[in-house]
Amino acid sequence: MARKVLFTASSYSHICNFHLPYLEYFRNGGWQVDVACGGEQGEIPFADRVIYLPFKKKMQARENFAAARMLRREIIAQGYDLVAAHTSLAAFFTRLAVKGLRRRPRIVNVAHGYLFCEQERFTKNAVLLAAEKLVARETDLLLVMNGWDKNAALRQHLAKRIEMIPGIGINFAVRCTASDAGARQRLRAEYAIAENAFVLFYAAEFSARKSQETLIRAMAQLPENVCLVLAGDGALREACEETAQALSLSQRVLFPGYIADVSAWYACADAAVSASRSEGLPFNILEAMYCGLPVVASAVKGHTDLIDDEKTGLLYDYGDADACAKQIARLTASAALCTALGSAAKASVARYDLAQVLPQVLRAYESVLTDHV
C-alpha cells in the first residue's frame, strides 16, 4: 500500500508558488500526495487530491475551526503517514486537528516566519506564542528558517525536535532571469522612468508587516532622480498611494500592482529595498541578491540572516525612515559601492538554490518517519 502525505497551507497560491518540487518528489516516490488549503480553487500539479478549506486570516474566525474539523475527518479517514504543515495559521489548525487522536500521522511544521517577533506588540506576541505552545506536543519536527525563530522555538520548547533549514529553495535560474534582454529599457519606457533614474524595487503585499510607508517617507529625503517601485496589492495599498500623494511623490513612487514576471523588474532596478517588520527567509531579498542588486533592508529577523551589513547589503533600524534614506543615499552616490555590495550578495546566496536546499528539506521530512515516539 502506498504511503500517504498531506501538505497543508492557508492558500492555494502558497502551495503552487513554493512546494511543487516537493509534491513532485513524493509523487515520483510512489506516495499518495494530497493537499489541503484555502484560497482560490484550481488544480495543483502532482497532487492526487486537493481539499479546499475555509481559512480566514483572523485566527479566531469560526471558519478556521470548521477547517480544523474537516482536516480531522480527512486525517482519520486517509490514515496519512506524514503531514507537512505550512503558513502559521494553517499549521496551527492542522496540529489542532490531530489533538487527542490516539493514532495520528507524524507532523512537520515548517515555520516560514513566526508572526511573533521583537517588533510586535506584547499582547499579540503572547497570544501567538500561547497558540504555538498549545500544539507543541503535536509538532514532531519544527523546521525554522532563521536564527531568531530557532532560538525562540528552543527557548519555548515549541516542538519535540527543532532544526534550521536554509529556506525551501529557489530555482534562481528560472525565477531570476529577465524574460527579454531589453527588460530595463522596456519597463522604463512603459512607466515613464528616466533612463538616468535610480530605481528602487520592493515587491510585497501591502500590509502593516511589510511597512511600505517607511520607504515612501524615506523617498521625501532623497534626490529627485530616485524612483521607488512598490509592486503588489493588499489592504494598505490605497493608504500608501495617499501618503505618496500627500508628500508630492506621485511621480516618483509607482504602484504597478501585482507583477507576475518580477525578474524583469530586477533587470530594471538599480537596488532592492525592504521595510518589513519581520521575515522568515524572504524570497524577494534572495532573488534581488542573486540578480546582483545592492539591498537596503530593515534590520529584522530574516533580513539579518541574509545580509551581512556593509558587506552584502545595508541595514537600518526598522521603521526609521531617516536611517533608511541615508543608506539609500549612499548607494545613489557611489556606483562602486553598488557594484561591490551586489557582487558580494550574489556570491552569498548560492546555498539557497533549490538544488542545494531540496535534498536537505526532504531528508528532514523523511527523518521524522523513523523518529521514536
Side-chain angles (χ1 to χ4, degrees):
M1 181 180 296
R3 292 193 291 179
K4 300 179 181 180
V5 60
L6 174 68
F7 278 72
T8 66
S10 300
S11 69
Y12 164 92
S13 61
H14 179 87
I15 294 291
C16 291
N17 287 336
F18 305 120
H19 300 291
L20 295 186
Y22 296 92
L23 303 187
E24 182 180 18
Y25 171 85
F26 282 106
R27 167 69 79 81
N28 290 343
W31 288 62
Q32 175 183 314
V33 180
D34 293 353
V35 172
C37 60
E40 62 186 281
Q41 299 187 14
E43 292 185 4
I44 296 180
F46 313 114
D48 293 291
R49 298 171 64 241
V50 181
I51 305 151
Y52 287 97
L53 302 173
F55 282 129
K56 298 294 182 183
K57 284 189 175 181
K58 192 174 182 180
M59 176 72 80
Q60 63 268 35
R62 63 182 181 180
E63 289 89 346
N64 294 330
F65 292 93
R69 291 191 293 271
M70 292 172 63
L71 276 171
R72 188 179 182 90
R73 288 193 295 269
E74 287 290 339
I75 288 168
I76 292 172
Q78 292 295 324
Y80 294 107
D81 299 278
L82 175 65
V83 174
H86 299 271
T87 66
S88 295
L89 186 142
F92 171 75
F93 284 101
T94 298
R95 290 170 289 164
L96 187 66
V98 302
K99 204 164 186 63
L101 290 182
R102 292 184 61 185
R103 297 185 62 182
R104 65 166 179 83
R106 297 299 174 91
I107 307 288
V108 178
N109 175 28
V110 183
H112 295 258
Y114 280 128
L115 293 177
F116 53 88
C117 62
E118 291 176 296
Q119 290 78 18
E120 190 52 86
R121 300 189 310 274
F122 172 81
T123 51
K124 184 174 181 180
N125 271 338
V127 169
L128 293 170
L129 181 58
E132 284 299 310
K133 286 186 172 182
L134 177 65
V135 293
R137 289 177 61 87
E138 286 68 43
T139 311
D140 297 299
L141 174 61
L142 170 63
L143 299 178
V144 297
M145 300 184 184
N146 62 62
W148 194 96
D149 285 345
K150 181 181 180 181
N151 291 335
L154 288 169
R155 186 171 60 250
Q156 300 293 343
H157 307 288
L158 298 184
K160 294 178 180 177
R161 183 157 60 91
I162 298 163
E163 293 185 12
M164 187 166 164
I165 55 173
I168 54 171
I170 301 178
N171 191 337
F172 287 122
V174 172
R175 291 179 63 96
C176 301
T177 302
S179 57
D180 64 83
R184 180 183 177 91
Q185 291 73 23
R186 175 174 57 80
L187 285 174
R188 288 185 176 228
E190 181 179 347
Y191 287 90
I193 301 171
E195 181 54 37
N196 67 344
F198 192 93
V199 177
L200 308 170
F201 182 64
Y202 185 35
E205 178 187 12
F206 282 85
S207 67
R209 182 169 72 87
K210 296 297 185 178
S211 309
Q212 282 92 342
E213 185 170 312
T214 299
L215 298 172
I216 297 171
R217 296 194 178 281
M219 281 290 292
Q221 304 176 46
L222 291 166
E224 290 292 322
N225 71 316
V226 180
C227 175
L228 172 63
V229 178
L230 296 174
D233 285 310
L236 296 185
R237 175 175 170 174
E238 184 175 346
C240 286
E241 290 175 337
E242 290 173 356
T243 298
Q245 185 173 13
L247 294 173
S248 301
L249 294 169
S250 297
Q251 300 302 311
R252 296 173 52 211
V253 180
L254 306 181
F255 299 84
Y258 172 77
I259 295 172
D261 184 9
V262 179
S263 63
W265 278 101
Y266 291 135
C268 176
D270 298 288
V273 290
S274 176
S276 187
R277 184 175 63 223
S278 70
E279 291 290 348
L281 207 61
F283 266 39
N284 61 334
I285 299 299
L286 281 164
E287 291 171 345
M289 293 173 76
Y290 177 83
C291 291
L293 290 177
V295 177
V296 174
S298 47
V300 299
K301 69 171 189 172
H303 289 164
T304 54
D305 291 80
L306 293 177
I307 296 172
D308 186 355
D309 194 25
E310 301 288 336
K311 295 180 180 178
T312 61
L314 301 176
L315 298 172
Y316 65 92
D317 288 341
Y318 165 73
D320 190 336
D322 294 343
C324 177
K326 288 177 182 177
Q327 294 289 52
I328 294 170
R330 292 176 61 192
L331 296 182
T332 66
S334 175
L337 178 61
C338 290
T339 300
L341 291 175
S343 297
K346 184 176 178 66
S348 73
V349 297
R351 70 189 187 95
Y352 299 102
D353 189 85
L354 180 64
Q356 301 292 324
V357 175
L358 186 136
Q360 298 178 55
V361 178
L362 290 172
R363 282 196 296 271
Y365 280 155
E366 294 185 338
S367 71
V368 78
L369 296 172
T370 58
D371 283 348
H372 294 292
V373 178

